[in-house]
Amino acid sequence: MITKQKGTYDIYGEEAKKRLYVNDIIKGICEKYNYTYIETPVFEATELFHRGVGETSDVVKKETYDFVDRGERSITLRPEGTAGVVRWFIENKLYGNMTEPVKVYYNEKMYRYERPQSGRNREFTQFGVELIGSDDVMADVDVISLAYQTYTLLGLDTKIKINTLGDNESRLKYKDALIKYLEPHMDELCEDCKERISKNPLRVLDCKIDGEKDIIKGAPITLDYLNEDSLNRYNKLKDYLDLLEIPYEEDPRLVRGLDYYNHTVFEIYTDIEGVNFALGGGGRYNGLIKELDGPEMPAVGFAMGYDRTMIAIDAAGVNIPYKKDIDVYVMYVSDSEKETASYIVQNLRLNGFTTETDYLNKGLKGEFKSADRFNAKFLIILNDKDLESNEVNVKDNVTKEEEKVNINDLIDYLDMHD
Ligand code: HAM
């Protein structure tokens, strides 16, 4: 038997209905914040992600699905959405005569070769937004607000951890200080971190092995190395968040796992028991567009993991309102009844009723059972004799009341009794 691949899953039944509900919330909120929908390809040139996400990030070093295609091209399945959006932005020269920032959202499958566990899969879905073309703190706040409100609308209490990495100057100063601090502790670090110290020491701070060690907890923090501009910017961000009453916690050790960030970084957590991972995260990435051969262009964004959000929704006992029942089940026996049934089913569906019928010629007994399984509110029972006078039997499956109704009056009748 062929089974699904490790770290992948099928989404069906109730889980699928819940996800469609989450999609609706996302679509609604993105409309309000005026982000437009975008889809980018599942696979791109390997170079895009390796340069974009960063050669020293865990994602690129250990987790990308890279392969050579039949045309000898080096291809990578997208591990995240930001690099693809930036490639689209540059390729279409959208920076040409920008009158407004570009604001897009995506809702797509991503691929990372990780060790599968709760909330961590190899194929997973991310909802994300990118705002390209504004360096204003208000843009950072727009993105954080959208993220926060999405979780709130989904019925989740979240807290946002924020930090700043500062601008390039501040980051370099911090990097030097961190290297000076870490070098004497080299022996206490894992093999990967030993390498990270020279290449990208910030990565040591969120190492899955060393991250919880006391040496890391005692490491210098970015806040102490910010220049005046970067500090002002961070303070302004907090002022805005206060003004908009978005609750946040400062986490001076938050650096994020991808290399492209500067200034604002944030992650979203919840206190729900058993949900001890970030539900989403993002930040500002002013250097990425230049890094990918575009112009100097500021940008900020965020992405939410669906899998983790669904786990949180279930753990918090959030009741997601999705339609469990159908409105009408149409029943028939003979071939002539079946033809009329087919016409009635279509007519009801076109008039907004969730309608089901029998595709297996089960006969009345089987059809009654199916109607109960679907929890149908109304049963429409056809028989040739009633059809001679263009009538059908309508039964309210809750009150059990039955009435003969002319086929032409069915919609009005059901509307009145619904
Ligand atoms: P990220 O923190 O790598 O950021 O991923 C965002 C979210 O995707 C995570 O918080 C998590 O919920 C989910 N996620 C990541 N990896 C997995 C996995 N293996 N299985 C299940 N869920 C996962 C980014 O991807 C950035 N592109 C976010 C961003 C957008 N920054 C700026 N713009």
Side-chain angles (χ1 to χ4, degrees):
M1 187 176 55
I2 300 167
T3 56
K4 61 182 181 304
Q5 292 297 300
K6 203 171 163 186
T8 69
Y9 47 82
D10 304 302
I11 302 162
Y12 56 95
E14 274 196 24
E15 176 71 14
K17 287 186 181 176
K18 286 185 194 171
R19 284 194 179 225
L20 286 178
Y21 173 79
V22 173
N23 281 353
D24 284 346
I25 295 280
I26 285 170
K27 186 164 166 266
I29 198 148
C30 285
E31 265 167 24
K32 302 274 179 328
Y33 281 70
N34 201 26
Y35 283 75
T36 51
Y37 181 65
I38 186 169
E39 285 183 21
T40 62
V42 170
F43 60 89
E44 301 259 11
T46 295
E47 195 189 350
L48 173 68
F49 298 115
H50 282 231
R51 259 165 66 192
V53 175
E55 296 285 0
T56 58
S57 65
D58 270 3
V59 172
V60 165
K61 277 190 73 170
K62 299 181 193 164
E63 295 166 7
T64 45
Y65 277 88
D66 302 330
F67 61 96
V68 176
D69 76 1
R70 290 170 198 264
E72 302 294 313
R73 299 171 195 89
S74 182
I75 301 288
T76 295
L77 299 187
R78 65 171 171 236
E80 57 100 53
T82 312
V85 168
V86 167
R87 194 263 313 132
W88 158 80
F89 176 82
I90 298 169
E91 190 172 346
N92 290 287
K93 299 193 173 52
L94 298 181
Y95 46 83
N97 58 12
M98 266 177 100
T99 47
E100 307 290 343
V102 166
K103 291 167 69 176
V104 289
Y105 80 96
Y106 46 86
N107 200 345
E108 301 180 314
K109 296 271 190 194
M110 307 290 165
Y111 299 85
R112 296 186 192 179
Y113 193 82
E114 296 206 68
R115 201 146 47 85
Q117 51 189 278
S118 168
R120 183 168 295 154
N121 291 297
R122 291 186 175 169
E123 182 186 66
F124 59 98
T125 306
Q126 268 188 357
F127 150 57
V129 303
E130 311 296 345
L131 189 159
I132 305 175
S134 168
D135 196 26
D136 199 297
V137 176
M138 203 177 176
D140 305 39
V141 177
D142 201 76
V143 169
I144 295 178
S145 163
L146 182 148
Y148 178 69
Q149 299 304 344
T150 304
Y151 293 105
T152 306
L153 280 177
L154 289 173
L156 291 174
D157 275 338
T158 51
K159 57 178 179 207
I160 302 184
K161 291 190 180 176
I162 60 165
N163 190 23
T164 177
L165 304 177
D167 60 8
N168 273 347
E169 186 193 58
S170 310
R171 210 176 136 148
L172 282 175
K173 255 171 72 188
Y174 175 65
K175 204 169 144 184
D176 283 348
L178 196 57
I179 294 174
K180 274 203 191 92
Y181 172 83
L182 288 173
E183 267 172 353
H185 298 287
M186 192 86 124
D187 292 346
E188 299 159 64
L189 299 174
C190 73
E191 289 309 309
D192 280 345
C193 281
K194 282 182 185 140
E195 204 184 309
R196 285 176 182 134
I197 292 184
S198 54
K199 291 195 175 145
N200 190 350
L202 265 73
R203 289 280 72 76
V204 177
L205 299 184
D206 64 1
C207 169
K208 285 169 196 144
I209 301 168
D210 292 334
E212 290 306 307
K213 291 184 180 162
D214 285 343
I215 343 154
I216 303 300
K217 289 186 179 155
I221 56 173
T222 52
L223 270 179
D224 292 336
Y225 296 85
L226 297 179
N227 56 21
E228 202 183 332
D229 276 359
S230 300
L231 186 61
N232 285 342
R233 192 190 167 93
Y234 184 54
N235 287 332
K236 215 189 236 175
L237 175 81
K238 291 188 284 177
D239 288 346
Y240 268 110
L241 293 175
D242 289 336
L243 179 75
L244 301 189
E245 295 179 6
I246 296 172
Y248 61 87
E249 244 174 47
E250 290 181 75
D251 179 351
R253 298 202 192 282
L254 180 68
V255 289
R256 307 264 305 127
L258 314 168
D259 284 355
Y260 47 59
Y261 294 108
N262 59 356
H263 290 299
T264 311
V265 283
F266 66 96
E267 283 185 350
I268 289 136
Y269 288 86
T270 152
D271 284 331
I272 303 161
E273 220 186 297
V275 187
N276 43 12
F277 34 62
L279 299 181
R284 183 159 276 287
Y285 51 94
N286 287 355
L288 181 60
I289 294 158
K290 182 115 195 282
E291 171 65 36
L292 293 173
D293 305 327
E296 195 82 57
M297 177 71 58
V300 57
F302 144 84
M304 166 188 116
Y306 258 64
D307 313 51
R308 299 186 185 181
T309 303
M310 300 316 288
I311 291 173
I313 282 175
D314 286 342
V318 174
N319 189 15
I320 292 216
Y322 58 85
K323 196 168 169 163
K324 294 190 184 76
D325 310 333
I326 65 166
D327 299 318
V328 188
Y329 192 93
V330 180
M331 300 159 72
Y332 64 86
V333 179
S334 71
D335 277 352
S336 50
E337 290 163 11
K338 189 174 178 177
E339 271 181 28
T340 314
S342 151
Y343 165 78
I344 291 176
V345 167
Q346 168 171 285
N347 199 25
L348 291 176
R349 287 174 176 165
L350 295 182
N351 279 282
F353 293 95
T354 307
T355 308
E356 191 50 279
T357 191
D358 172 17
Y359 304 95
L360 301 172
N361 300 303
K362 292 176 180 175
L364 282 184
K365 206 169 151 206
E367 290 170 355
F368 271 112
K369 277 193 189 153
S370 291
D372 282 345
R373 264 196 298 273
F374 286 117
N375 234 346
K377 189 154 186 285
F378 292 101
L379 312 180
I380 295 183
I381 307 152
L382 275 65
N383 67 63
D384 285 322
K385 194 156 175 298
D386 289 341
L387 290 180
E388 280 169 20
S389 50
N390 208 34
E391 284 183 329
V392 292
N393 206 13
V394 181
K395 180 171 178 181
D396 185 318
N397 212 18
V398 183
T399 62
K400 304 295 176 200
E401 278 169 26
E402 279 185 57
E403 230 176 303
K404 293 238 185 311
V405 180
N406 190 291
I407 291 179
N408 299 329
D409 301 332
L410 257 181
I411 305 295
D412 286 344
Y413 178 88
L414 292 173
D415 270 339
M416 257 168 51
H417 290 77
D418 200 13

